Amino acid sequence: MQTMFEKTINGMFIDPLIFTQKFVKGCDVCICSGECCYYGVYTDKEESEKIMAEKEKIIRYMDDSQTKDSELWFEEPQVDNDFPSGLAVGTEVHNEKCVFLDKQGFCTLQKMAMAEGEFKWKYKPLYCILFPLVISEGVLTVDDEHLNDMHYCSKLDNQISTVFDACKNELMFLLGEKGFEELDNYRKEYFEKVEIDGSNIEAA
């Protein structure tokens, strides 16, 4: 594919916007009630199957604002080459939020994993983990369209960090330790190349 981006890591092009885009310091559902999850998310087909395999356990962690009918959890698959299986499956929206979001703004999938003593993101779809990052047409970039819809994360007064700094754990999860180190080195090279100080750059 032809692209304006020059750097690739783990087969993905890297958009330098992730280094400059302003963002909140970190996720805090006590402030925003998990607003980024209100609209549902696209999962890989294999992710949705992994979730469905645990449906009985997941139901036990749901509250009365969520539907416990697992037949209502997912949309029909659609072709999307940004997903490993080539198929994307959207989560449904129930009570104006993702079916897996509880009334307090917590992800039931993450809540269940933690309660069961497992890694917190074991069942959580990748794109839920990554927000505001997204992989679009093979490019790791910022989901600015979704970000702009947020009432808290999109406000300049709240954006005291950058996407890169706020999402280091998520980036390491996606790229692995070596991939993240390569990304960090590219970030430094990028700022050197454009002759700006990354800590003082204005929001893109």
Side-chain angles (χ1 to χ4, degrees):
M1 67 177 282
Q2 292 184 336
T3 177
M4 59 184 289
F5 307 110
E6 57 184 34
K7 179 66 176 178
T8 61
I9 299 176
N10 295 356
M12 288 178 290
F13 285 98
I14 306 299
D15 184 352
L17 179 62
I18 69 177
F19 306 138
T20 61
Q21 172 65 55
K22 294 293 187 180
F23 193 53
V24 296
K25 186 176 181 180
C27 181
D28 189 342
V29 298
C30 294
I31 296 175
C32 68
S33 299
E35 184 185 15
C36 60
C37 304
Y38 287 2
Y39 313 102
V41 69
Y42 282 109
T43 75
D44 185 79
K45 187 173 186 294
E46 291 186 2
E47 289 178 319
S48 67
E49 290 171 348
K50 184 177 181 179
I51 291 168
M52 290 299 286
E54 303 290 338
K55 61 184 179 182
E56 298 302 327
K57 189 187 298 184
I58 292 168
I59 287 170
R60 296 202 299 269
Y61 288 93
M62 287 181 155
D63 62 33
D64 58 9
S65 73
Q66 299 170 274
T67 176
K68 297 181 180 180
D69 182 352
S70 62
E71 295 298 316
L72 302 178
W73 288 358
F74 291 102
E75 300 172 352
E76 288 298 313
Q78 57 182 282
V79 175
D80 191 324
N81 291 327
D82 280 321
F83 291 82
S85 71
L87 292 172
V89 184
T91 65
E92 292 282 8
V93 173
H94 180 75
N95 281 338
E96 300 183 336
K97 57 187 176 66
C98 173
V99 291
F100 298 112
L101 195 70
D102 71 15
K103 65 175 68 174
Q104 294 180 298
F106 292 106
C107 173
T108 300
L109 303 176
Q110 182 168 329
K111 185 170 65 175
M112 178 191 76
M114 295 175 69
E116 298 287 325
E118 298 177 298
F119 177 57
K120 64 179 180 178
W121 292 336
K122 181 175 180 178
Y123 303 106
K124 199 166 185 177
L126 178 62
Y127 283 85
C128 296
I129 298 167
L130 292 183
F131 180 80
L133 294 160
V134 69
I135 301 166
S136 178
E137 297 184 354
V139 179
L140 177 62
T141 186
V142 177
D143 189 352
D144 50 4
E145 182 177 352
H146 192 181
L147 178 58
N148 289 338
D149 286 337
M150 302 296 99
H151 293 95
Y152 176 73
C153 294
S154 66
K155 297 295 182 290
L156 291 178
D157 288 348
N158 301 327
Q159 294 178 338
I160 60 175
S161 183
T162 64
V163 169
F164 176 84
D165 287 321
C167 299
K168 286 182 177 178
N169 290 335
E170 290 79 2
L171 286 164
M172 192 170 295
F173 176 80
L174 174 67
L175 301 173
E177 188 173 341
K178 292 183 69 174
F180 178 79
E181 183 179 350
E182 186 176 355
L183 180 68
D184 194 25
N185 288 334
Y186 174 54
R187 179 181 66 91
K188 295 169 184 174
E189 293 169 3
Y190 171 76
F191 285 129
E192 289 175 0
K193 184 176 180 180
V194 296
E195 297 181 344
I196 54 176
D197 181 356
S199 64
N200 295 324
I201 190 167
E202 296 297 326

